[in-house]
Amino acid sequence: MSDTIRLMQDKLATLAPQHIDIRDDSAKHAGHAGARAGGGHYQLYIVSDAFAGLTTLARHRLVYDTLGEMMQVRIHALSISAKTAQES
Amino acid sequence: MSIQDTIRETVTSNPVVLFMKGSPTFPQCGFSARAVQIIKACGIAKFAAIDVLQDPEIRQGIKEFSSWPTIPQLYIKGEFIGGSDIMTELYQNGELQKMLEGVAAE
């Protein structure tokens, strides 16, 4: 498992996820203009009751805030699916 | 005018604004391409598209403006709506069509 994915899992553990799946899509984007600066493309599927009562926008914000500075450097793009246990 | 003021003016003086990589005709990123497709699918032919690759100050400034780390970013009537995942979700459940109804005509 890559370093970045492990770090993401560590950070997101604070949301007490019941399920978390992170996929590295970087290979699909290698070479395109936006990827040149470095940083990978990832797909995140996360189930946590921390999302209960939040809009999708607020859920994504919570994920971004939790990942903090990782979004500035290591992660170039992140596709997020954030559900509660009831919705999953 | 500071870059934050410039951005604020852009999103308030245009009803629909998309900050993206590349142009609607030649998007430079798959997520930006999807965002353009969704806006068009909502029947919006004319909207303000800002290519952040043309201006590093706007590219960084827009992330601070919305406290949102990624691009594309959609604004409707000055309000930040979200990135391409959220646009996809709002389009699939029909909310985005409602939000955009009549907006372009203003």
Side-chain angles (χ1 to χ4, degrees):
Chain A
M1 190 188 302
S2 88
D3 207 26
T4 303
I5 289 182
R6 196 167 41 79
L7 262 168
M8 285 167 81
Q9 284 179 335
D10 285 354
K11 295 234 181 211
L12 292 168
T14 58
L15 299 178
Q18 279 116 318
H19 182 87
I20 185 163
D21 180 38
I22 304 172
R23 241 175 269 181
D24 188 341
D25 271 350
S26 303
K28 274 198 241 168
H29 301 271
H32 91 78
R36 240 175 256 147
H41 288 65
Y42 299 91
Q43 255 190 61
L44 167 68
Y45 176 72
I46 181 168
V47 178
S48 164
D49 287 333
F51 300 127
L54 298 182
T55 62
T56 307
L57 183 71
R59 291 175 185 197
H60 287 218
R61 267 201 204 288
L62 183 58
V63 169
Y64 287 142
D65 288 347
T66 306
L67 292 172
E69 62 183 16
M70 284 192 78
M71 287 308 301
Q72 309 300 326
V73 187
R74 286 172 172 267
I75 303 169
H76 170 72
L78 180 63
S79 185
I80 302 171
S81 177
K83 307 282 179 202
T84 62
Q86 215 176 6
E87 297 161 348
S88 69
Chain B
M1 192 153 54
S2 80
I3 197 74
Q4 295 299 315
D5 289 337
T6 307
I7 290 170
R8 190 168 294 110
E9 192 179 292
T10 303
V11 301
T12 48
S13 58
N14 297 284
V16 183
V17 184
L18 182 70
F19 288 85
M20 63 178 293
K21 292 178 177 171
S23 68
T25 325
F26 296 105
Q28 297 290 313
C29 159
F31 299 100
S32 288
R34 198 207 302 172
V36 169
Q37 278 176 351
I38 291 172
I39 295 173
K40 287 187 176 164
C42 291
I44 305 296
K46 219 179 135 200
F47 58 96
I50 314 292
D51 180 2
V52 303
L53 297 178
Q54 302 295 326
D55 190 335
E57 262 196 289
I58 288 187
R59 185 175 181 175
Q60 184 53 40
I62 192 66
K63 295 177 182 178
E64 288 158 15
F65 182 78
S66 54
S67 308
W68 191 262
T70 55
I71 290 156
Q73 295 187 11
L74 175 69
Y75 294 79
I76 300 175
K77 290 191 263 187
E79 190 197 345
F80 175 57
I81 305 302
S84 65
D85 282 345
I86 290 178
M87 288 176 68
T88 302
E89 193 175 309
L90 292 175
Y91 177 69
Q92 282 168 351
N93 67 25
E95 280 177 63
L96 192 63
Q97 290 88 324
K98 275 187 209 137
M99 291 163 99
L100 285 167
E101 224 166 23
V103 165
E106 282 171 26

